[in-house]
Structure formats: C-alpha cells, structure tokens
Amino acid sequence: MTPYAEVIGDPIKHSKSPLIHGFWLKKLGIAAEYRAHHVTAEALGDYFHTRRSDDQWRGCNITLPHKVATLDFIADPGGVRESIGAANTVFRSGDGDLLCTNTDAAGFFAPISEDDWAHRDAVVVGAGGAARAILFALAQADIGTVTIMARSPLKAAALLSHFGLKGQVLQMDKPLPPADLLVNSSPLGMVGQLPLDLNLSPLPEDALVYDIVYTPIETPLLAAARQRGLATIDGLDMLIGQAAVAFELFFGQAPPDDCEDELRDLLLK
C-alpha cells in the first residue's frame, strides 16, 4: 500500500495543501500521496482512532475548526497546549506514536523575519487557532503592543494575557487603530465568508498588511491595501511555509527549495 498524509477540516474542499504536497512529492520522486479529508467536529476523535492503526498514514495537517480540539486526542510532548494552545500538524514518530505540533507560527513569521518588529505595533483580526500561532510568533519577536479585533472580547483578552502581550481588545465594528502591521487571522474574506470590511486610512504609509486567507489569493483586504499603496503579504506565503515544515515530518525529506515560483504559479491557476 502507498504511504499517505492528508489535510483535515470542515470545510476542506478549498484547501490547497494537496497541490503543495503533491507538487513536492513529484519533484522529489517520493512514492506517496497527500489527500484532503472532510472531518466534522463530532468525528474528530474517531478519525484519529482509525488513523492510529493505519501504518501507511504518515500524519495530517489541520485546518478550521480542529486546531484546538486536536490537543484533546493527540500526545503533546512539545508543550504545544501550554505555548501556542493549538495544533496544526499531527505526525507519526519513529516508534509509531502520534504526536502533534504547530508549524503555523514558523510559516507565518518566515516572510517577515528579516524585519525588526521589536517595540512596533500590530493589529490581529480574529482570536482562533491561527491567531494563537500568530500571537506566539509576535511575542517571540518582541512586538510592542497588539490590538486584537474579535467577536469575543473575553477570548481575545485571554489570548493577550496568555502570551504576555501588551495591548487592547476591540470589537469587530470598531475603527482600526494605527499600526505597523495588520494581520487577518480570521476566515473573513475567504470564499463563502463575509468580507473583512476595514477602513485602512489609520494605517501609516509604511504599514504592512498580511492576510492569511488564500482562497481567494487577492482578498478584499489586500485589494484595499494595494489601492492605498501599502505593502502586502498574501496567504500563500504562510501556507507554503507551514507546509514545508510538515512535509519533512511526514515524508522524512525537506521539500525542494529551488522551485517556489513554479509552485506559486501552480497554486494561482
């Protein structure tokens, strides 16, 4: 039988992970597959129970809404629950155990790692599993203050406290405060979701707008930012970055690093 890994979520048809991992598998000549698998919240425990006994299963990437709930089913020797509080990858260890980790933080930070974010200000939209990884990365970068805009102020305030960040919490309908970095970690703007409607005028001319949504690549938020002449980063950067770390965990080899432009072209078709 063929070894395989997969991505799970609800919904899952929008995921580009099979294209990314399939591209790398083909480039490296690895005889394995990467699939998308629809898993509801109610079926998550049964899913991991079934995969645990499947020797060909190498692991999975995890998308909405399972990043927090996965921690209830999978061993966490790296302390992901205490640090980030959400898992986006489950992989099989050398002795066959299933372990979880989070590659989102590294994937998010890779495109902005050359800039110095110490003591600068950020706004993060959303307070879910992706926001946890982003806030973890920003805390490690010694960010100055963070404003979280979220539907649940209590949940957002708890995240600020958890990561030891200074800042504030705003409801989604409040005006955007000035910031050096604006990150959309929510599903708003994704195909099938409401757009993220923000007035970007409070942002300075040198601000960076980063939207982790990748379906579509050109979200309304990024389009508005470009109209203002602001620097932007789309969701493919984080998607490819986090996938690269997971790929090596699944298949034992790092993905090729000399064909990123070809991969982006494939994903944009």
Side-chain angles (χ1 to χ4, degrees):
M1 295 181 64
T2 303
Y4 71 100
E6 52 196 353
V7 58
I8 65 169
D10 181 21
I12 199 60
K13 288 183 179 180
H14 69 282
S15 177
K16 294 183 182 292
S17 292
L19 279 175
I20 296 172
H21 288 264
F23 175 85
W24 288 334
L25 288 170
K26 184 177 180 180
K27 285 290 184 181
L28 294 173
I30 297 175
E33 297 177 357
Y34 187 98
R35 311 165 182 170
H37 189 76
H38 180 228
V39 178
T40 64
E42 296 77 16
L44 187 62
D46 288 341
Y47 167 81
F48 285 124
H49 177 74
T50 301
R51 293 301 189 269
R52 193 181 301 273
S53 59
D54 184 349
D55 292 339
Q56 298 304 314
W57 186 76
R58 296 294 181 261
C60 66
N61 291 115
I62 302 154
T63 188
L64 292 171
H66 304 317
K67 293 187 178 186
V68 175
T70 291
L71 292 165
D72 294 332
F73 301 101
I74 304 297
D76 177 26
V80 173
R81 183 186 293 274
E82 290 73 25
S83 58
I84 295 177
N88 82 321
T89 303
V90 172
F91 62 99
R92 193 179 296 278
S93 68
D95 56 9
D97 292 337
L98 300 190
L99 308 177
C100 67
T101 188
N102 193 308
T103 67
D104 276 338
F108 161 76
F109 199 65
I112 62 174
S113 60
E114 295 184 1
D115 295 322
D116 183 6
W117 294 100
H119 313 301
R120 301 175 73 182
D121 300 323
V123 174
V124 175
V125 178
R132 287 177 170 271
I134 290 164
L135 293 169
F136 174 83
L138 292 178
Q140 299 303 303
D142 199 23
I143 197 77
T145 64
V146 176
T147 298
I148 302 179
M149 301 184 72
R151 294 190 180 97
S152 173
L154 289 178
K155 185 178 181 181
L159 290 181
L160 285 178
S161 176
H162 178 80
F163 293 106
L165 293 165
K166 298 177 181 179
Q168 63 176 338
V169 174
L170 296 178
Q171 293 274 11
M172 292 294 296
D173 59 352
K174 297 298 182 182
L176 181 71
D180 303 296
L181 173 66
L182 169 63
V183 183
N184 177 32
S185 75
S186 78
L188 294 175
M190 183 186 297
V191 172
Q193 300 283 337
L194 294 173
L196 177 56
D197 187 14
L198 292 175
N199 180 358
L200 303 182
S201 60
L203 297 180
E205 293 181 355
D206 60 348
L208 173 64
V209 178
Y210 192 152
D211 196 337
I212 73 167
V213 170
Y214 57 85
T215 309
I217 298 300
E218 178 78 351
T219 63
L221 175 65
L222 292 183
R226 289 179 181 133
Q227 286 180 353
R228 270 211 55 204
L230 300 176
T232 61
I233 296 178
D234 63 47
L236 285 187
D237 288 279
M238 178 173 174
L239 180 68
I240 294 171
Q242 64 82 25
V245 181
F247 183 89
E248 188 165 3
L249 292 173
F250 298 151
F251 303 112
Q253 295 184 50
D257 58 5
D258 58 351
C259 51
E260 185 170 336
D261 289 343
E262 184 181 352
L263 175 57
R264 284 187 68 94
D265 289 343
L266 173 66
L267 295 173
L268 289 171
K269 288 181 179 178

